[in-house]
């Protein structure tokens, strides 16, 4: 029977060293709400587990000098919710992170784990994509940055190189009259996996959208940044025609599969429906603040 | 028989005796048990839906260090098919022996083919992988339509239907009048075909057991089931160990809903324990539960109903095809026997067909078969009522079965409470309330009724007075619905003492007399009969003892408020003798006080319910949600209203899952594709409204407290009530379950058609 080694380093350098050394048999442990489930079901049998929660940077939430946020990769959903300001600035990202699982799962699950798990249905990812988050990664060759949408490589895979660890998410400063929202379609009301997830981030001026980003989940092998949908929204007052055009762009971007969770036809249609609803909520939030 | 009135404890919402243990995590479920020297058993399961087993080579597995025993079908007692049925309850041991371990053929993915016991679970699992099974893979059929095709692969070649090998393994019919004549009288006839998917009982606790076989053959089983006597009997049959040597100890049960009325692990673990000489523990994974334990049938039903213009049903014909899975035994009796029973229909033919297919063998699920049949019948009734422009409850009331109505399955009804449930539904605040504005979502309301037979059968109880004057009641039924609390209420009532002085426990097979399964909504009905009679015997003894002490005639002593009193001052002037005092004096007055009664109980009346359901449909996403629900039921007498309501609410919750999302989904290879709670979508709390209950109490005259079974009826009407509500919201009818979002959206995108074409 294979041995399992558990390491809980207190510095990032140690973690990267241990992770790189152990090679493909090693796994990073953040909240473990994916990893442990996969291990118990026999999908994964890692030889080494590197727990990153003892590394301060990994669990820190920090307001940066420019007015943005830096969120440690292992910050739990509950910790993010308890932050005084984050949810006011990024309500869409927060609601996406907080949709993951139940109260118990929230005490553990992280946005970093959600992204690195590589599921196209991960709830926080479309919201992070819409938010324009940049991730910091550290590996044997040092630090680098990447757009969040460039991290997923396909179901269960990322573009992180061997030995690399996701360190944090950087969210940009917010211009006035900006907000975001995330909605997902699930057959139940909770404890379910997104059949489609949609994140929209907007900046408004005098009722007109001046900038927008749209992230779409569970409709393709990776979470998508839907630039055509954003284009349809920008310059509009979110009138029916603009929303319909953006919805059509979302539906067009879908490359879903027929599976036990939803049909191609269903996912394609729902992507458009969710875009309309999410954009409307984001716009309401953006204008309410003024 | 005393009918107790002016009750102090009956009808009270007392705290359940097992409550504290359950909420604090102290309760011992089967998987919580351990023993010194214990090892772990694992099952190797067929990956194929249908395959002949040419040979099994276990030699490599046996050589793996840590492996202590390997078992295959050779070790299980065979019940040869040609020798005919050997029934244990509703189970034929010929199928049971082949279900716990495949013999010549594997009949579904997940069918056990061998088992290993080893020092760790991991070694046992590794050893399973080392077993070499030579399969001849065969074509397979899972869906009813596929299994009925003329060229369908046949699961049991010996079975003939109309002279040819077939997967139809049984038929049953109930008949009354002449349907041909009946339909001629009808002004309106509606015929529809419905399908439902297999759904699982979804108990939280997976099957588990720990079994020790001593060198002298004495066997102890700790397991979670709906009947320790069933566990003992099936294990005895399948291992050859006499029942007197098997002590089956019932663990607390984490849900069963019918699915734990048969065994999967116990005979296998017993043989592993016997071979290895070590206690063997087995715990299924959720995946094993979903793949290899009984869901209920998928179905295909055609129902035709004819009525006259004035709203009288004159004829009905139902044909119900139910998937049995790998072995004969789908619940056609419930589908064909219950579905039309709420109604007085002069001309009726109700037929059930039992169809084998390459899927796990069905197990009972709450009112087995009845919800499937009622779904079809109650949806057609809704269409008929609509076509007649009648309120659906008025239509049901007009056709309601009553005292004196002859049911097609045989009985002439005594006083029943069906009509009262319809009237109570009609008079409910729910039915009178406006649907309200859905804020862009469409709302609708539907109703449906249902019936379940209910059961009596064998029960045993022993009631003992402790030396300090308190009471211990031992019964033989695992408590899955609050029966301990109900029995304590009754016993306290009869003895006139505080409820907390009565302790109710579930005995094991060697300490209490034979008691049939916890199933058929029978437990409180049957066990309160034997507990009542036992307690009455004790009261008689107590009166005799007091009489002896007072030196008066026992007839001059009455039992009241927990003490013996002279019936009147004429009988003598004595201070009452309490239960404590009489217990204290027991050694000198004839010895310990206790009584046991064993009966094959009779007189379980059927149960009826009528439900009202409101839904709200998000038409852009196709999501239907139940926003208000009222379950009305004739409960006989609510001994413990909290647990009666719990039964009603639980049944409704399961029905809503069945209606909206639950289904077995299969891969192209014929394997279950959603063997876990993520993709097998049972409702979570936030999916459901508070489910309102209206308990109509028409006491059962054949029961000392008026009890009727209540646990199964509440699942029967639900899917039809939800379907009828969705129709009311959308103006489109669904003829297939589940009405899950993709299916609802697909239907909404269809061009509009007339509702009743
Ligand atoms: C009951 C339940 C409900 C759930 N519901 C949802 C839901 O609604 N929506 C949803 O999206 N998900 C859901 N999940 C999945 C899971 O909770 C989320 O994906 C969660 O965000 C994972 O975070 P974690 O911190 O627990 O990750 P972990 O399990 O610790 O890690 C996940 C994966 O990412 C890798 N990893 C983690 N952190 C890093 C890092 N910093 N650098 C490199 N690799 C890393 C791990 O090695 C592992 O492969 C649910 C899970 C459960 C058990």
């Amino acid at each position: 029977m294979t041995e399992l080694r558990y390491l809980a380093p207190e510095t990032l350098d140690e973690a990267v060293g241990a992770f790189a050394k152990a090679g493909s048999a090693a796994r990073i442990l953040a909240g473990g709400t994916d990893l442990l489930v996969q291990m118990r079901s026999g999908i994964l049998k890692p030889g080494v587990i590197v727990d990153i929660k003892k590394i301060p940077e990994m669990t820190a939430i920090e307001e940066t000098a420019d007015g943005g946020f830096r969120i440690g990769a292992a910050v739990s959903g509950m910790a993010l919710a308890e932050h005084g300001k984050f949810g006011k600035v990024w309500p869409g990202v927060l609601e996406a992170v907080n949709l993951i699982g139940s109260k118990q799962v929230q005490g553990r699950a992280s946005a970093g784990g959600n992204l690195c798990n590589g599921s196209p249905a991960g709830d926080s990812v479309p919201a992070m994509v819409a938010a324009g988050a940049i991730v910091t990664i550290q590996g044997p060759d040092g630090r680098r940055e990447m757009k969040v949408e460039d991290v997923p490589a396909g179901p269960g895979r990322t573009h992180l190189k061997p030995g690399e660890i996701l360190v944090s998410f950087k969210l940009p400063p917010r211009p006035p009259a900006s907000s975001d929202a995330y909605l997902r379609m699930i057959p139940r009301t909770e404890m379910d996996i997104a059949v489609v997830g949609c994140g929209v981030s907007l900046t408004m001026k005098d009722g007109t959208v001046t900038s927008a980003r749209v992230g779409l989940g569970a409709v393709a092998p990776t979470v998508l940044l839907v630039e055509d949908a954003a284009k349809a929204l920008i310059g509009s007052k979110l009138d029916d025609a603009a929303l319909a055009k953006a919805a059509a762009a979302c539906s067009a971007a879908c490359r879903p599969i027929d599976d036990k969770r939803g049909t191609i036809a269903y996912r394609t249609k729902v992507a458009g429906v969710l875009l309309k609803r999410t954009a409307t909520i984001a716009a309401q939030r953006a204008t309410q603040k003024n | 028989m005393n009918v107790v009135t002016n009750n102090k404890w009956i009808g009270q919402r007392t705290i359940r005796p097992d409550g504290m243990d359950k909420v604090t995590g102290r309760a011992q479920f089967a998987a919580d048990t351990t023993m010194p020297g214990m090892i772990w058993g694992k099952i190797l399961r067929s990956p194929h839906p249908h395959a002949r087993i040419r040979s099994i080579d276990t030699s490599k597995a046996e050589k793996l260090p840590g492996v202590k025993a390997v078992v295959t079908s050779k070790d299980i007692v065979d019940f040869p098919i040609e020798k005919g049925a050997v029934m244990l309850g509703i189970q034929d041991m010929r199928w049971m022996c082949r279900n716990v371990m495949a013999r010549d053929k594997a009949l579904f993915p997940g069918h056990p083919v061998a088992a290993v016991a080893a020092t760790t679970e991991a070694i046992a699992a590794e050893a399973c992988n080392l077993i070499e099974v030579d399969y001849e893979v065969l074509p397979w059929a899972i869906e009813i339509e596929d299994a009925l095709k003329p060229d369908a692969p046949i699961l049991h070649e010996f079975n003939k239907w109309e002279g040819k090998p077939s997967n139809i393994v049984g038929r049953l019919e109930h008949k009354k009048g002449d349907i041909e004549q009946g339909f001629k009288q009808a002004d309106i006839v509606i015929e529809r075909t419905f399908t439902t998917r297999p759904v699982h009982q979804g108990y939280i606790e997976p099957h588990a057991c720990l079994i020790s076989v001593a060198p002298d053959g004495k066997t102890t089983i700790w397991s979670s089931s709906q009947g320790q006597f069933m566990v003992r009997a099936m294990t005895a049959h399948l291992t050859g160990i006499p029942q007197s040597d098997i002590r089956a100890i019932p663990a607390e049960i984490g849900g069963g809903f019918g699915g734990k009325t048969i065994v999967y692990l116990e005979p296998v673990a017993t043989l592993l324990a016997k071979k290895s000489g070590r206690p063997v523990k087995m715990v299924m994974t959720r995946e094993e539960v979903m793949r290899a334990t009984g869901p209920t049938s998928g179905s295909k039903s055609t129902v035709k109903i004819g009525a006259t213009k004035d709203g009288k049903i004159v004829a009905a014909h139902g044909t119900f095809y139910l998937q049995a899975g790998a072995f004969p035994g789908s619940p056609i009796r419930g589908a064909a026997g219950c579905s039309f029973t709420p109604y007085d229909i002069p001309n009726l033919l109700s037929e059930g067909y039992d169809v084998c297919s390459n899927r796990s063998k069905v197990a009972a699920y709450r009112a087995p078969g009845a919800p499937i049949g009622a779904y079809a019948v109650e949806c057609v009734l809704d269409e008929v009522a609509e076509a007649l422009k009648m309120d659906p409850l008025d239509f049901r009331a007009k056709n309601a079965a009553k005292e004196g109505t002859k049911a097609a399955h045989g009985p002439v009804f005594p006083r029943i409470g069906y009509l009262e449930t319809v009237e109570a539904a009609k008079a409910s605040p729910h039915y009178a309330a406006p649907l309200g504005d859905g804020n862009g979502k469409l709302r609708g309301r539907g109703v449906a009724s249902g019936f379940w037979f209910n059961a009596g059968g064998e029960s045993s109880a022993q009631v003992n007075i402790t030396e300090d004057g308190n009471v211990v009641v031992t019964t033989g039924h695992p408590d899955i619905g609050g029966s301990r609390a109900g029995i304590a209420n009754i016993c306290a009532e009869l003895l006139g003492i505080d409820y907390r002085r009565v302790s109710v426990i579930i005995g094991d097979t060697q300490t209490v007399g034979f008691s049939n399964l916890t199933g058929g909504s029978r437990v409180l009905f049957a066990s309160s009969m034997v507990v009542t009679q036992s307690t009455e015997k004790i009261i008689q003894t107590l009166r005799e003892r007091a009489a002896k002490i007072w030196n008066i005639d026992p007839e001059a002593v009455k039992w009241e408020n927990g003490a013996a009193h002279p019936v009147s001052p004429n009988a003598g002037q004595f201070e009452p003798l309490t239960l404590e005092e009489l217990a204290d004096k027991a050694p000198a007055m004839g010895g310990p006080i206790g009584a046991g009664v064993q009966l094959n109980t009779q007189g379980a009346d059927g149960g009826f319910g009528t439900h009202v359901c409101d839904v709200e449909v998000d038409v852009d996403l196709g999501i239907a949600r139940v926003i208000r629900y009222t379950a009305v039921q004739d409960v006989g007498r609510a001994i413990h209203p909290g647990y009666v309501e719990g039964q009603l609410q639980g049944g409704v919750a399961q029905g809503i899952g069945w209606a909206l999302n639950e289904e077995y989904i299969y891969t192209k290879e014929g394997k279950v594709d959603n063997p876990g709670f993520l993709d097998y979508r049972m409702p979570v709390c936030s999916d459901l409204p508070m489910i309102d209950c209206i308990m109509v109490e028409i006491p059962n005259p054949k029961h000392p407290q008026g009890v009727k079974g209540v646990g199964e009826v509440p699942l029967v009407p639900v899917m039809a009530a939800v379907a009828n509500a969705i129709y009311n919201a959308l103006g489109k009818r669904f003829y297939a379950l589940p009405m899950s979002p993709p299916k609802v959206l697909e239907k909404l995108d269809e061009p509009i058609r007339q509702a009743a074409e």
Side-chain angles (χ1 to χ4, degrees), chain A residues 28 30-35 99 101 110 113-114 116 122-123 166 184 192:
Chain A
I28 298 294
T33 60
D34 278 314
L35 186 68
L99 273 178
S110 66
N114 201 222
C116 294
D123 279 308
L166 183 78
R184 65 174 179 179
D192 214 329

PDB file of all heavy atoms in Angstrom, chain A residues 28 30-35 99 101 110 113-114 116 122-123 166 184 192, ligand 1:
ATOM      1  N   ILE A  28      -1.355  19.921  -4.095  1.00  0.00           N
ATOM      2  CA  ILE A  28      -1.551  21.025  -3.163  1.00  0.00           C
ATOM      3  C   ILE A  28      -2.893  20.839  -2.476  1.00  0.00           C
ATOM      4  O   ILE A  28      -3.880  20.445  -3.108  1.00  0.00           O
ATOM      5  CB  ILE A  28      -1.546  22.376  -3.928  1.00  0.00           C
ATOM      6  CG1 ILE A  28      -0.195  22.610  -4.610  1.00  0.00           C
ATOM      7  CG2 ILE A  28      -1.906  23.546  -3.004  1.00  0.00           C
ATOM      8  CD1 ILE A  28       0.966  22.795  -3.657  1.00  0.00           C
ATOM      9  N   ALA A  30      -5.635  22.991  -0.438  1.00  0.00           N
ATOM     10  CA  ALA A  30      -6.161  24.253   0.111  1.00  0.00           C
ATOM     11  C   ALA A  30      -7.285  23.838   1.068  1.00  0.00           C
ATOM     12  O   ALA A  30      -7.011  23.285   2.130  1.00  0.00           O
ATOM     13  CB  ALA A  30      -6.630  25.164  -1.009  1.00  0.00           C
ATOM     14  N   GLY A  31      -8.526  24.023   0.681  1.00  0.00           N
ATOM     15  CA  GLY A  31      -9.619  23.588   1.560  1.00  0.00           C
ATOM     16  C   GLY A  31      -9.830  22.086   1.532  1.00  0.00           C
ATOM     17  O   GLY A  31     -10.400  21.507   2.441  1.00  0.00           O
ATOM     18  N   GLY A  32      -9.407  21.457   0.457  1.00  0.00           N
ATOM     19  CA  GLY A  32      -9.553  20.007   0.352  1.00  0.00           C
ATOM     20  C   GLY A  32     -10.929  19.537  -0.067  1.00  0.00           C
ATOM     21  O   GLY A  32     -11.188  18.334  -0.141  1.00  0.00           O
ATOM     22  N   THR A  33     -11.818  20.457  -0.371  1.00  0.00           N
ATOM     23  CA  THR A  33     -13.199  20.033  -0.653  1.00  0.00           C
ATOM     24  C   THR A  33     -13.338  19.381  -2.025  1.00  0.00           C
ATOM     25  O   THR A  33     -14.324  18.701  -2.289  1.00  0.00           O
ATOM     26  CB  THR A  33     -14.192  21.195  -0.525  1.00  0.00           C
ATOM     27  OG1 THR A  33     -13.837  22.224  -1.442  1.00  0.00           O
ATOM     28  CG2 THR A  33     -14.211  21.740   0.890  1.00  0.00           C
ATOM     29  N   ASP A  34     -12.367  19.581  -2.879  1.00  0.00           N
ATOM     30  CA  ASP A  34     -12.289  18.761  -4.094  1.00  0.00           C
ATOM     31  C   ASP A  34     -11.302  17.615  -3.885  1.00  0.00           C
ATOM     32  O   ASP A  34     -11.593  16.462  -4.183  1.00  0.00           O
ATOM     33  CB  ASP A  34     -11.807  19.598  -5.289  1.00  0.00           C
ATOM     34  CG  ASP A  34     -12.932  20.404  -5.922  1.00  0.00           C
ATOM     35  OD1 ASP A  34     -14.016  19.837  -6.134  1.00  0.00           O
ATOM     36  OD2 ASP A  34     -12.713  21.588  -6.208  1.00  0.00           O
ATOM     37  N   LEU A  35     -10.134  17.965  -3.378  1.00  0.00           N
ATOM     38  CA  LEU A  35      -9.049  16.987  -3.302  1.00  0.00           C
ATOM     39  C   LEU A  35      -9.445  15.765  -2.466  1.00  0.00           C
ATOM     40  O   LEU A  35      -9.256  14.624  -2.893  1.00  0.00           O
ATOM     41  CB  LEU A  35      -7.790  17.650  -2.707  1.00  0.00           C
ATOM     42  CG  LEU A  35      -6.559  16.769  -2.711  1.00  0.00           C
ATOM     43  CD1 LEU A  35      -6.078  16.519  -4.131  1.00  0.00           C
ATOM     44  CD2 LEU A  35      -5.427  17.394  -1.886  1.00  0.00           C
ATOM     45  N   LEU A  99     -21.434  30.778  -3.276  1.00  0.00           N
ATOM     46  CA  LEU A  99     -22.371  29.759  -3.771  1.00  0.00           C
ATOM     47  C   LEU A  99     -21.789  28.356  -3.679  1.00  0.00           C
ATOM     48  O   LEU A  99     -22.507  27.375  -3.778  1.00  0.00           O
ATOM     49  CB  LEU A  99     -22.711  30.034  -5.242  1.00  0.00           C
ATOM     50  CG  LEU A  99     -23.874  30.985  -5.517  1.00  0.00           C
ATOM     51  CD1 LEU A  99     -24.019  31.176  -7.025  1.00  0.00           C
ATOM     52  CD2 LEU A  99     -25.165  30.443  -4.938  1.00  0.00           C
ATOM     53  N   GLY A 101     -20.964  25.052  -2.551  1.00  0.00           N
ATOM     54  CA  GLY A 101     -21.331  24.117  -1.488  1.00  0.00           C
ATOM     55  C   GLY A 101     -22.255  24.695  -0.444  1.00  0.00           C
ATOM     56  O   GLY A 101     -23.112  25.530  -0.726  1.00  0.00           O
ATOM     57  N   SER A 110     -11.888  27.286  -1.232  1.00  0.00           N
ATOM     58  CA  SER A 110     -11.220  28.521  -1.646  1.00  0.00           C
ATOM     59  C   SER A 110     -11.429  28.772  -3.134  1.00  0.00           C
ATOM     60  O   SER A 110     -11.694  27.837  -3.905  1.00  0.00           O
ATOM     61  CB  SER A 110      -9.716  28.398  -1.374  1.00  0.00           C
ATOM     62  OG  SER A 110      -9.160  27.392  -2.203  1.00  0.00           O
ATOM     63  N   GLY A 113      -8.619  26.895  -4.999  1.00  0.00           N
ATOM     64  CA  GLY A 113      -8.926  25.486  -5.247  1.00  0.00           C
ATOM     65  C   GLY A 113      -9.948  25.344  -6.354  1.00  0.00           C
ATOM     66  O   GLY A 113      -9.858  24.450  -7.198  1.00  0.00           O
ATOM     67  N   ASN A 114     -10.911  26.232  -6.360  1.00  0.00           N
ATOM     68  CA  ASN A 114     -11.960  26.192  -7.372  1.00  0.00           C
ATOM     69  C   ASN A 114     -11.360  26.357  -8.771  1.00  0.00           C
ATOM     70  O   ASN A 114     -11.709  25.624  -9.704  1.00  0.00           O
ATOM     71  CB  ASN A 114     -12.961  27.319  -7.075  1.00  0.00           C
ATOM     72  CG  ASN A 114     -14.332  27.117  -7.686  1.00  0.00           C
ATOM     73  OD1 ASN A 114     -14.916  28.047  -8.211  1.00  0.00           O
ATOM     74  ND2 ASN A 114     -14.868  25.910  -7.640  1.00  0.00           N
ATOM     75  N   CYS A 116      -7.984  25.948  -9.599  1.00  0.00           N
ATOM     76  CA  CYS A 116      -6.978  24.920  -9.910  1.00  0.00           C
ATOM     77  C   CYS A 116      -7.578  23.542 -10.088  1.00  0.00           C
ATOM     78  O   CYS A 116      -6.980  22.665 -10.697  1.00  0.00           O
ATOM     79  CB  CYS A 116      -5.908  24.888  -8.825  1.00  0.00           C
ATOM     80  SG  CYS A 116      -4.946  26.411  -8.792  1.00  0.00           S
ATOM     81  N   GLY A 122     -16.828  25.346 -12.204  1.00  0.00           N
ATOM     82  CA  GLY A 122     -16.466  26.015 -10.945  1.00  0.00           C
ATOM     83  C   GLY A 122     -17.149  27.372 -10.866  1.00  0.00           C
ATOM     84  O   GLY A 122     -17.077  28.178 -11.802  1.00  0.00           O
ATOM     85  N   ASP A 123     -17.808  27.639  -9.754  1.00  0.00           N
ATOM     86  CA  ASP A 123     -18.654  28.828  -9.695  1.00  0.00           C
ATOM     87  C   ASP A 123     -17.886  30.138  -9.629  1.00  0.00           C
ATOM     88  O   ASP A 123     -18.323  31.139 -10.184  1.00  0.00           O
ATOM     89  CB  ASP A 123     -19.598  28.738  -8.490  1.00  0.00           C
ATOM     90  CG  ASP A 123     -20.801  27.884  -8.797  1.00  0.00           C
ATOM     91  OD1 ASP A 123     -21.461  28.148  -9.816  1.00  0.00           O
ATOM     92  OD2 ASP A 123     -21.075  26.944  -8.030  1.00  0.00           O
ATOM     93  N   LEU A 166      -0.486  28.396  -7.221  1.00  0.00           N
ATOM     94  CA  LEU A 166      -1.245  29.649  -7.340  1.00  0.00           C
ATOM     95  C   LEU A 166      -1.159  30.366  -5.992  1.00  0.00           C
ATOM     96  O   LEU A 166      -1.431  29.774  -4.949  1.00  0.00           O
ATOM     97  CB  LEU A 166      -2.704  29.320  -7.656  1.00  0.00           C
ATOM     98  CG  LEU A 166      -3.623  30.501  -7.893  1.00  0.00           C
ATOM     99  CD1 LEU A 166      -3.418  31.052  -9.291  1.00  0.00           C
ATOM    100  CD2 LEU A 166      -5.079  30.084  -7.703  1.00  0.00           C
ATOM    101  N   ARG A 184     -26.041  31.324 -11.481  1.00  0.00           N
ATOM    102  CA  ARG A 184     -25.846  29.998 -12.075  1.00  0.00           C
ATOM    103  C   ARG A 184     -27.197  29.334 -12.192  1.00  0.00           C
ATOM    104  O   ARG A 184     -28.121  29.639 -11.428  1.00  0.00           O
ATOM    105  CB  ARG A 184     -24.919  29.149 -11.212  1.00  0.00           C
ATOM    106  CG  ARG A 184     -25.503  28.831  -9.846  1.00  0.00           C
ATOM    107  CD  ARG A 184     -24.624  27.861  -9.074  1.00  0.00           C
ATOM    108  NE  ARG A 184     -25.194  27.592  -7.751  1.00  0.00           N
ATOM    109  CZ  ARG A 184     -24.670  26.780  -6.856  1.00  0.00           C
ATOM    110  NH1 ARG A 184     -23.526  26.155  -7.121  1.00  0.00           N
ATOM    111  NH2 ARG A 184     -25.249  26.574  -5.692  1.00  0.00           N
ATOM    112  N   ASP A 192     -25.400  21.863  -5.506  1.00  0.00           N
ATOM    113  CA  ASP A 192     -25.552  21.350  -6.859  1.00  0.00           C
ATOM    114  C   ASP A 192     -24.415  21.915  -7.705  1.00  0.00           C
ATOM    115  O   ASP A 192     -23.691  22.803  -7.267  1.00  0.00           O
ATOM    116  CB  ASP A 192     -26.911  21.799  -7.416  1.00  0.00           C
ATOM    117  CG  ASP A 192     -27.523  20.754  -8.332  1.00  0.00           C
ATOM    118  OD1 ASP A 192     -26.744  20.027  -8.995  1.00  0.00           O
ATOM    119  OD2 ASP A 192     -28.757  20.693  -8.409  1.00  0.00           O
TER     120      ASP A 192
HETATM  121  C1  LIG C   1     -20.507  19.212  -0.858  1.00  0.00           C
HETATM  122  C2  LIG C   1     -19.742  19.975  -1.891  1.00  0.00           C
HETATM  123  C3  LIG C   1     -20.393  20.962  -2.613  1.00  0.00           C
HETATM  124  C4  LIG C   1     -19.708  21.686  -3.573  1.00  0.00           C
HETATM  125  N1  LIG C   1     -20.378  22.656  -4.245  1.00  0.00           N
HETATM  126  C5  LIG C   1     -19.720  23.380  -5.179  1.00  0.00           C
HETATM  127  C6  LIG C   1     -20.372  24.423  -5.859  1.00  0.00           C
HETATM  128  O1  LIG C   1     -21.535  24.720  -5.610  1.00  0.00           O
HETATM  129  N2  LIG C   1     -19.697  25.103  -6.813  1.00  0.00           N
HETATM  130  C7  LIG C   1     -18.394  24.816  -7.086  1.00  0.00           C
HETATM  131  O2  LIG C   1     -17.831  25.486  -7.945  1.00  0.00           O
HETATM  132  N3  LIG C   1     -17.750  23.841  -6.447  1.00  0.00           N
HETATM  133  C8  LIG C   1     -18.369  23.117  -5.499  1.00  0.00           C
HETATM  134  N4  LIG C   1     -17.706  22.129  -4.831  1.00  0.00           N
HETATM  135  C9  LIG C   1     -16.306  21.824  -5.196  1.00  0.00           C
HETATM  136  C10 LIG C   1     -15.276  22.528  -4.319  1.00  0.00           C
HETATM  137  O3  LIG C   1     -15.797  22.826  -3.056  1.00  0.00           O
HETATM  138  C11 LIG C   1     -14.770  23.824  -4.933  1.00  0.00           C
HETATM  139  O4  LIG C   1     -14.210  23.596  -6.186  1.00  0.00           O
HETATM  140  C12 LIG C   1     -13.780  24.547  -4.027  1.00  0.00           C
HETATM  141  O5  LIG C   1     -13.636  25.858  -4.453  1.00  0.00           O
HETATM  142  C13 LIG C   1     -12.428  23.901  -3.991  1.00  0.00           C
HETATM  143  O6  LIG C   1     -11.604  24.632  -3.126  1.00  0.00           O
HETATM  144  P1  LIG C   1     -10.657  23.934  -2.066  1.00  0.00           P
HETATM  145  O7  LIG C   1      -9.915  25.032  -1.397  1.00  0.00           O
HETATM  146  O8  LIG C   1     -11.401  23.055  -1.177  1.00  0.00           O
HETATM  147  O9  LIG C   1      -9.733  23.110  -3.046  1.00  0.00           O
HETATM  148  P2  LIG C   1      -8.864  21.796  -2.826  1.00  0.00           P
HETATM  149  O10 LIG C   1      -9.729  20.614  -2.782  1.00  0.00           O
HETATM  150  O11 LIG C   1      -7.913  21.996  -1.715  1.00  0.00           O
HETATM  151  O12 LIG C   1      -8.083  21.824  -4.186  1.00  0.00           O
HETATM  152  C14 LIG C   1      -8.695  21.612  -5.423  1.00  0.00           C
HETATM  153  C15 LIG C   1      -7.645  21.301  -6.477  1.00  0.00           C
HETATM  154  O13 LIG C   1      -6.843  22.432  -6.729  1.00  0.00           O
HETATM  155  C16 LIG C   1      -5.479  22.208  -6.385  1.00  0.00           C
HETATM  156  N5  LIG C   1      -5.051  23.430  -5.695  1.00  0.00           N
HETATM  157  C17 LIG C   1      -5.679  24.008  -4.654  1.00  0.00           C
HETATM  158  N6  LIG C   1      -5.072  25.152  -4.338  1.00  0.00           N
HETATM  159  C18 LIG C   1      -4.026  25.297  -5.195  1.00  0.00           C
HETATM  160  C19 LIG C   1      -3.035  26.271  -5.360  1.00  0.00           C
HETATM  161  N7  LIG C   1      -2.998  27.355  -4.592  1.00  0.00           N
HETATM  162  N8  LIG C   1      -2.126  26.100  -6.335  1.00  0.00           N
HETATM  163  C20 LIG C   1      -2.157  25.021  -7.124  1.00  0.00           C
HETATM  164  N9  LIG C   1      -3.089  24.058  -7.013  1.00  0.00           N
HETATM  165  C21 LIG C   1      -4.007  24.199  -6.060  1.00  0.00           C
HETATM  166  C22 LIG C   1      -5.506  20.977  -5.505  1.00  0.00           C
HETATM  167  O14 LIG C   1      -4.305  20.246  -5.599  1.00  0.00           O
HETATM  168  C23 LIG C   1      -6.670  20.211  -6.075  1.00  0.00           C
HETATM  169  O15 LIG C   1      -6.278  19.510  -7.212  1.00  0.00           O
HETATM  170  C24 LIG C   1     -18.358  21.403  -3.846  1.00  0.00           C
HETATM  171  C25 LIG C   1     -17.712  20.406  -3.121  1.00  0.00           C
HETATM  172  C26 LIG C   1     -18.388  19.711  -2.146  1.00  0.00           C
HETATM  173  C27 LIG C   1     -17.672  18.653  -1.375  1.00  0.00           C
END
